[in-house]
């Protein structure tokens, strides 16, 4: 990239339209200007045109309202623009950025911004985003700091010496960018992404065939075939065991038939034993019943005597009770007669109302009293008799019946007879069972039952294996169909492509460190070379750039001096300039170098050496200087490398600054 | 578009590997990346890389 023309309209101190034309040849372009005349504004105008934004010395974005020329603002003209003409890869390009607003507001300016890029007369980008993409390919924003730098900002580059600072990390990334290291990283990441996409394709293909590849399916098929054979063998083996057991059962059944009579005798003996045991139990219960009868026998014996005594007591009791009842009746009658006598006289005067009746009542009363008198000695009813009578009645119910003994005797005799009879039969049966294993039939039956159960279990297992075999046949058939459908070639190709992509990405990954180290050494060597050229003293051996692009000076005795050990700010600036120069030489990007007041902090001797070195920094160097830092006599140090010379002239608040061409040597103006 | 220094490192690294890849594919991939360096270019770049990997394998 080589800038041939800059055109400014109402930008910063430049009212209306101004332009700077740079010669096409190689060399240094000087732009003189004292403080406030627009040096920094020209550099900002280029950056604004390229990236649509400008940062101040603190790294903050300058708002569009601050970029508009004050006289234009006063005129009510809220539009400013910058256009850069440049050559790039053999093409003549014109980049234009302009903005306009009806109201002087940042937001309005941003909304009103337009940009375009024309290559060889053809518009190749007409929108902000298209322009941004084009410019990023030509000169990325994050490396622009190494091509457009401010002498006052060199302190930022010196941050490289503070290895842990954030600025240093940002700078380190920019340095890596300018050296082309991100190309390898981007390639590696793209290869990772390609690999991921291929893996997804393979996974999709495998999903179509059940998540397995051909080899896995073939292995499954083989396994399925082996399983079928194994299950067939197992069924055969189980059937053999079933047949064998059924034969054994048949043998045992035949033997059981043969010894069935022994079994019957053994059963009979058990039955007889059981019957005898039952009869003996019944006999025992009859004997208990007899014992109970005997214990109540005294009641039967005494019952007639007791009955006689009770009868006598009853007679006596009834006699007493007859007299007692009669006396009670007479007492009732006496009470009634007393009422009748009282009623025969007047209740108030006592005169007799009915003398005949009264007399009759009084006579009857006296007769009754006499009768009562005669019954005075009669005792109260005898309660002892009633208690005794109740006890006797209760006892009568417990008396032994005369036929009960007979019945028990009969039953005992019958039981004894039956027992004897059963024992006789038992004896005969036992005779038959002498020297015979009477348990054999039971053992046989038990074993037959167990073996039948085992046969049942084996048949169940065989049936289950047969079911599994059916499923295996089904799986085998499905696998067969899948295998027939698979495009094995496609799967293998994808697998090989993934492996190949991995191998390529590994090459890029391994190359990153190698390339980075190589480039770092190259920058270190170049920076040392420049440092030697621009430094007046010769008390050092070389510059050292560590892994993080941190800078140190190595003295002739081999001591590594870090930033804290350096002696002056000017020294730091020289180191930074050496690094920037080296980076420009080693950069993957070709672009002009714009330096704003680069000599401000340097002494005369160093300033002269830097001036001598300037033409070597880039094919196109543009230096903004004050009269104080660059005088007429300093031109000698540039040894005829000045190809253009401009001066900035401030003509007051209304007119602003003007760009005056003072000389134009190289190429056409 | 290619970068000789980058390509040289890639080829040397590749040659040192036990199972090197075709060096031409490294050159082609590097060229694609240099022509498509931006975040916005990634999709197109990956498609081109995939295409040349497929083609190289064929």
């Amino acid at each position: 990239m080589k800038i041939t023309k800059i055109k400014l309209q109402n930008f910063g101190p430049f009212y209306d339209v101004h332009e700077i034309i740079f010669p096409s040849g190689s060399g240094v372009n000087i732009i003189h200007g004292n403080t406030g005349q627009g040096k920094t504004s020209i550099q900002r105008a280029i950056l604004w045109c390229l990236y649509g934004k400008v940062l101040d010395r603190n790294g903050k974005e300058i708002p569009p309202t601050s970029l508009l020329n004050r006289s234009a603002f006063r005129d009510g003209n809220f539009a400013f623009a910058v256009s850069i003409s440049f050559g790039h890869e053999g093409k003549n390009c014109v980049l234009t950025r302009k903005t306009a607003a009806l109201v002087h507001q940042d937001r309005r300016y941003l909304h009103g911004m337009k940009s375009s890029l024309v290559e060889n007369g053809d518009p190749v980008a007409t929108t902000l985003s298209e322009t941004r993409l084009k410019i990023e390919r030509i000169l990325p924003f994050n490396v622009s700091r190494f091509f457009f730098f401010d002498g006052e900002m060199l302190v930022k580059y010196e941050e490289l010496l503070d290895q842990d600072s954030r600025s240093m990390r940002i700078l380190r990334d920019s340095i890596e960018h300018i050296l082309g290291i991100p190309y390898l990283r981007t390639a590696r990441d793209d290869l990772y992404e390609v690999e991921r996409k291929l893996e997804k394709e393979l996974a999709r293909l495998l999903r179509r065939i059940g998540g397995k590849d051909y080899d896995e399916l073939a292995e499954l098929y083989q396994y399925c075939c082996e399983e079928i054979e194994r299950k067939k063998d197992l069924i055969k083996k189980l059937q053999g065991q079933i047949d064998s057991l059924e034969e054994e059962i048949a043998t045992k059944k035949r033997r059981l038939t043969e010894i069935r009579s022994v079994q019957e005798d053994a059963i009979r003996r058990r039955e007889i034993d059981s019957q005898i045991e039952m009869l003996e139990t019944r006999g025992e219960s009859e004997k208990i019943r007899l014992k109970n009868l005997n214990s109540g026998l005294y009641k039967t014996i005494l019952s007639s005597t007791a009955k006689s005594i009770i009868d006598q007591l009853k007679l006596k009791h009834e006699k007493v009770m007859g007299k007692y009842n009669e006396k009670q009746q007479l007492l009732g009658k006496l009470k009634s007669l007393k009422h009748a006598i009282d009623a025969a006289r007047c209740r108030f005067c006592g005169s007799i109302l009915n003398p005949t009746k009264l007399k009759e009542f009084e006579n009857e009363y006296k007769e009754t009293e006499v009768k009562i008198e005669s019954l005075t000695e009669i005792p109260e009813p005898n309660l002892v008799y009633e208690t005794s009578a109740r006890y006797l009645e209760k006892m009568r119910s417990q008396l032994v019946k005369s036929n009960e003994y007979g019945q028990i005797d009969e039953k005992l005799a019958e039981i004894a007879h039956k027992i004897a009879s059963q024992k006789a039969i038992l004896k005969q049966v036992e005779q038959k069972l002498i020297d015979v294993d009477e348990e054999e039939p039971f053992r046989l039956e038990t074993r037959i039952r167990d073996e039948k159960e085992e046969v049942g279990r084996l048949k169940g297992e065989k049936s289950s294996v047969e079911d599994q075999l059916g499923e295996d046949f089904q799986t085998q058939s499905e696998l067969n169909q899948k295998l027939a459908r698979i495009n094995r070639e496609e799967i293998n190709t994808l697998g090989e492509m993934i492996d190949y992509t991995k191998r390529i990405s590994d090459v890029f990954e391994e190359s990153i460190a190698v390339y980075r180290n190589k480039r770092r050494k190259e920058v270190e060597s170049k920076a040392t070379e420049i440092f030697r050229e621009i430094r007046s003293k010769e008390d050092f051996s070389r510059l050292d750039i560590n892994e993080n692009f941190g800078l140190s000076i190595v003295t002739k005795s081999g001591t590594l001096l870090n930033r804290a050990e350096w002696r002056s700010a000017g020294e730091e600036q020289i180191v930074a300039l050496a690094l920037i120069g080296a980076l420009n030489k080693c950069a993957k990007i070709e672009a002009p170098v714009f330096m704003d007041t680069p000599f401000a902090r340097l002494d005369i001797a160093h300033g002269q050496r830097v001036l001598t070195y300037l033409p070597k920094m880039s094919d196109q160097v543009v230096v903004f200087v004050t009269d104080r830092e660059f005088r007429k006599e300093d031109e000698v140090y540039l040894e005829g490398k000045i190809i253009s010379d401009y001066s900035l002239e401030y003509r007051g608040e209304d007119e602003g600054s003007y760009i005056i061409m003072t000389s134009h040597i190289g190429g056409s103006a | 578009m290619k970068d000789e220094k980058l390509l040289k490192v890639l080829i040397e690294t590749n040659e040192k590997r036990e199972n090197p890849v075709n060096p031409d594919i490294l050159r082609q991939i590097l060229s694609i990346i240099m022509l498509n360096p931006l975040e916005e270019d990634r999709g197109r770049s990956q498609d081109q890389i995939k295409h040349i990997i497929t083609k190289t394998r064929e």
Side-chain angles (χ1 to χ4, degrees):
Chain A
M1 180 191 193
K2 196 168 196 177
I3 296 175
T4 52
K5 188 164 86 175
I6 304 165
K7 191 174 172 184
L8 315 166
Q9 183 185 357
N10 295 331
F11 192 96
F14 301 100
Y15 178 46
D16 205 11
V17 178
H18 298 265
E19 57 181 40
I20 304 174
I21 295 168
F22 296 115
S24 56
S26 300
V28 179
N29 301 275
I30 308 283
I31 300 175
H32 297 267
N34 289 326
T35 306
Q37 289 188 328
K39 298 188 298 296
T40 305
S41 290
I42 292 174
Q43 184 146 307
R44 283 176 179 170
I46 300 167
L47 291 168
W48 183 76
C49 185
L50 286 168
Y51 307 111
K53 61 182 176 184
V54 187
L55 305 181
D56 66 12
R57 282 175 174 161
N58 295 317
K60 285 184 182 171
E61 193 173 336
I62 299 170
T65 46
S66 302
L67 299 176
L68 179 72
N69 177 262
R70 285 180 189 170
S71 298
F73 172 71
R74 187 197 56 213
D75 295 346
N77 179 6
F78 304 144
F80 59 95
V82 180
S83 170
I84 306 171
S85 301
F86 59 93
H88 177 66
E89 293 179 347
K91 287 176 268 188
N92 292 319
C93 308
V94 180
L95 173 68
T96 306
R97 188 178 296 273
K98 55 188 174 184
T99 188
L102 294 172
V103 182
H104 188 59
Q105 279 179 0
D106 292 327
R107 195 162 49 85
R108 299 292 175 95
Y109 283 116
L110 291 172
H111 285 171
M113 193 185 289
K114 285 177 183 158
S115 64
S116 65
L117 180 68
V118 175
E119 282 180 4
N120 292 338
D122 298 324
V124 291
T126 53
T127 64
L128 289 174
S129 60
E130 283 173 1
T131 314
R132 185 182 67 80
L133 292 178
K134 285 280 179 189
I135 296 302
E136 277 296 312
R137 289 178 212 281
I138 297 167
L139 185 62
F141 174 74
N142 64 350
V143 302
S144 63
R145 68 174 74 220
F146 297 109
F147 298 95
F148 298 88
F149 67 91
D150 185 346
E152 294 299 319
M153 296 281 283
L154 278 175
V155 67
K156 293 288 176 190
Y157 300 89
E158 291 151 20
E159 291 291 337
L160 281 168
L161 313 170
D162 285 335
Q163 294 187 21
D164 294 324
S165 71
R166 184 173 169 271
S167 310
M168 175 268 185
R169 284 195 293 275
I170 294 168
L171 272 172
R172 185 195 59 201
D173 291 345
S174 300
I175 290 170
E176 289 192 346
H177 202 116
I178 203 170
L179 296 176
I181 295 164
Y183 288 134
L184 294 175
R185 291 208 182 101
T186 307
R188 176 201 61 190
D189 294 345
D190 276 2
L191 283 160
Y192 285 165
E193 191 54 30
V194 169
E195 187 185 318
R196 199 181 64 79
K197 283 176 184 170
L198 288 169
E199 279 172 348
K200 275 174 90 174
E201 261 180 58
L202 182 61
R204 201 161 44 241
L205 190 63
L206 291 176
R207 267 201 301 280
R208 285 212 308 267
I209 55 169
K212 293 174 179 61
D213 66 12
Y214 187 88
D215 292 339
E216 268 184 278
L217 280 174
E219 264 180 43
L220 261 179
Y221 182 76
Q222 181 63 30
Y223 176 74
C224 195
C225 292
E226 284 168 9
E227 271 295 294
I228 286 169
E229 288 309 311
R230 193 184 68 78
K231 287 191 175 97
K232 277 180 180 174
D233 286 348
L234 183 59
I235 289 166
K236 205 172 169 184
K237 192 177 157 191
L238 287 168
Q239 189 56 52
Q241 287 177 340
I242 291 164
D243 292 347
S244 165
L245 275 171
E246 282 181 337
E247 204 176 312
E248 277 188 40
I249 290 167
T251 308
K252 286 188 179 73
K253 278 184 174 173
R254 280 197 296 277
R255 169 73 183 145
L256 196 60
T257 312
E258 283 167 17
I259 59 169
R260 183 65 73 190
S261 62
V262 177
Q263 188 190 21
E264 283 169 2
D265 285 339
I267 292 167
R268 201 166 166 210
R269 187 172 73 171
R270 280 180 193 159
E271 285 173 357
I272 293 165
D273 275 343
S274 166
Q275 279 182 13
I276 290 170
E277 198 178 328
M278 190 187 72
L279 287 167
E280 282 172 349
T281 309
R282 275 176 60 193
E284 283 302 313
S285 66
E286 287 303 322
K287 280 175 187 170
I288 290 165
R289 198 175 152 213
L290 186 61
K291 198 177 168 185
N292 291 338
L293 279 178
N294 287 340
S295 68
L297 195 59
Y298 76 96
K299 292 179 184 173
T300 311
I301 294 164
L302 293 174
S303 70
S304 58
T305 312
K307 190 172 184 309
S308 163
I309 293 165
I310 296 297
D311 286 346
Q312 285 171 24
L313 282 170
K314 186 182 177 188
L315 200 66
K316 191 179 171 185
H317 176 75
E318 282 172 357
K319 193 176 173 184
V320 171
M321 283 308 289
K323 286 184 179 177
Y324 175 79
N325 290 335
E326 189 185 352
K327 185 181 175 183
Q328 290 300 318
Q329 280 175 0
L330 290 171
L331 283 169
K333 188 178 177 183
L334 197 67
K335 206 174 176 180
S336 303
L337 287 169
K338 180 80 171 82
H339 281 299
I341 290 165
D342 289 344
R345 291 176 187 269
C346 177
R347 208 163 22 135
F348 303 105
C349 64
S351 62
I352 297 165
L353 298 172
N354 188 347
T356 312
K357 279 280 180 188
L358 181 63
K359 188 73 180 171
E360 193 182 325
F361 290 151
E362 281 174 347
N363 288 341
E364 202 173 345
Y365 190 84
K366 279 175 188 172
E367 282 171 17
T368 306
E369 274 184 331
V370 173
K371 281 180 186 175
I372 288 170
E373 192 66 29
S374 69
L375 292 170
T376 306
E377 297 302 322
I378 291 168
E380 291 296 311
N382 188 357
L383 296 174
V384 177
Y385 156 73
E386 286 180 355
T387 307
S388 300
R390 275 201 300 276
Y391 179 74
L392 189 62
E393 282 302 314
K394 189 181 172 188
M395 196 177 78
R396 279 169 69 86
S397 68
Q398 295 170 348
L399 291 182
V400 176
K401 289 173 186 160
S402 58
N403 62 342
E404 273 188 87
Y405 277 103
Q407 285 172 354
I408 291 169
D409 280 345
E410 275 175 23
K411 278 185 182 169
L412 281 172
E414 187 190 339
I415 288 164
H417 175 72
K418 281 183 180 171
I419 288 171
S421 163
Q422 289 296 325
K423 278 188 174 173
I425 297 165
L426 183 63
K427 200 174 176 181
Q428 286 171 7
V429 172
E430 280 178 338
Q431 279 293 324
K432 283 186 190 174
L433 289 170
I434 289 171
D435 297 331
V436 170
D437 182 2
E438 60 180 290
E439 293 299 323
E440 191 184 358
F442 300 107
R443 279 203 306 274
L444 280 171
E445 278 184 344
T446 308
R447 286 179 66 181
I448 287 167
R449 193 175 59 243
D450 291 347
E451 282 169 359
K452 275 184 175 172
E453 279 178 11
E454 180 62 8
V455 167
R457 190 190 67 75
L458 289 171
K459 281 184 174 171
E461 192 180 335
K462 185 177 156 240
S463 168
S464 161
V465 176
E466 280 168 348
D467 289 347
Q468 288 172 17
L469 184 64
E471 287 170 15
D472 285 350
F473 277 128
Q474 179 71 23
T475 309
Q476 189 189 38
S477 160
E478 285 168 7
L479 286 170
N480 242 333
Q481 287 170 7
K482 277 183 184 173
L483 282 165
R485 280 202 305 269
I486 291 173
N487 182 347
R488 192 174 182 179
E489 190 64 32
E490 197 179 350
I491 290 172
N492 287 344
T493 303
L494 272 172
E496 283 171 19
M497 273 176 75
I498 291 166
D499 288 344
Y500 197 55
T501 311
K502 273 183 189 160
R503 280 167 52 205
I504 300 169
S505 62
D506 285 348
V507 174
F508 277 89
E509 171 67 31
E510 284 173 28
S511 299
I512 293 170
V514 177
Y515 180 74
R516 189 177 187 278
N517 204 36
K518 215 168 184 171
R519 299 296 278 157
R520 184 171 61 84
K521 288 287 170 197
E522 204 178 312
V523 172
E524 185 182 272
S525 165
K526 205 77 200 170
T528 300
E529 195 182 299
I530 298 168
F531 191 63
R532 280 196 184 123
E533 208 168 325
I534 61 178
R535 195 165 185 270
S536 57
K537 294 174 191 172
E538 292 183 355
D539 54 352
F540 76 100
S541 164
R542 62 181 175 87
L543 288 179
D544 178 84
I545 299 178
N546 66 21
E547 279 292 316
N548 291 321
F549 288 92
L551 276 164
S552 301
I553 295 173
V554 183
T555 65
K556 280 188 172 169
S557 61
T559 310
L560 206 74
L561 300 178
N562 61 28
R563 187 189 185 190
E565 292 162 321
W566 297 354
R567 286 185 292 272
S568 71
E571 195 99 52
E572 291 174 359
Q573 195 164 351
I574 291 168
V575 172
L577 278 168
L579 176 67
I580 290 166
L583 288 171
N584 275 292
K585 289 288 171 197
C586 300
K588 298 278 122 200
I589 297 154
E590 286 177 13
V593 171
F594 277 67
M595 301 167 87
D596 185 9
T597 55
F599 314 116
R601 290 164 74 184
L602 299 179
D603 57 35
I604 292 170
H606 279 108
Q608 289 167 354
R609 293 176 82 95
V610 170
L611 273 173
T612 308
Y613 177 71
L614 272 184
K616 297 178 190 172
M617 277 194 87
S618 176
D619 200 32
Q620 184 181 37
V621 177
V622 180
V623 190
F624 297 93
V625 289
T626 61
D627 289 342
R628 193 177 167 198
E629 65 178 325
F630 186 84
R631 294 160 300 169
K632 187 72 183 165
E633 53 267 37
D634 288 330
E635 287 181 4
V636 71
Y637 299 108
L638 287 168
E639 295 169 349
K641 299 285 182 184
I642 299 172
I643 55 172
S644 75
D645 198 331
Y646 284 90
S647 287
L648 303 179
E649 190 180 306
Y650 183 67
R651 294 181 186 170
E653 201 176 333
D654 290 344
E655 291 187 66
S657 291
Y658 279 77
I659 302 166
I660 314 291
M661 185 196 290
T662 49
S663 71
H664 203 279
I665 301 156
S668 56
Chain B
M1 185 179 179
K2 63 182 177 182
D3 182 287
E4 291 305 329
K5 283 180 184 172
L6 270 170
L7 189 60
K8 194 179 169 203
V9 169
L10 282 168
I11 289 169
E12 281 172 1
T13 309
N14 184 44
E15 281 168 357
K16 283 178 196 163
R17 286 175 63 82
E18 199 177 311
N19 193 6
V21 298
N22 181 349
D24 194 47
I25 203 165
L26 300 174
R27 186 186 57 76
Q28 288 183 60
I29 290 172
L30 186 61
S31 181
I32 291 168
I33 296 297
M34 293 185 89
L35 285 168
N36 299 280
L38 305 181
E39 194 55 42
E40 288 84 348
D41 302 329
R42 301 286 39 89
R44 184 174 55 249
S45 165
Q46 286 156 16
D47 288 345
Q48 288 177 12
I49 290 172
K50 193 182 163 191
H51 177 71
I52 62 152
I53 287 174
T54 313
K55 213 174 156 191
T56 308
R57 269 202 37 74
E58 284 166 0

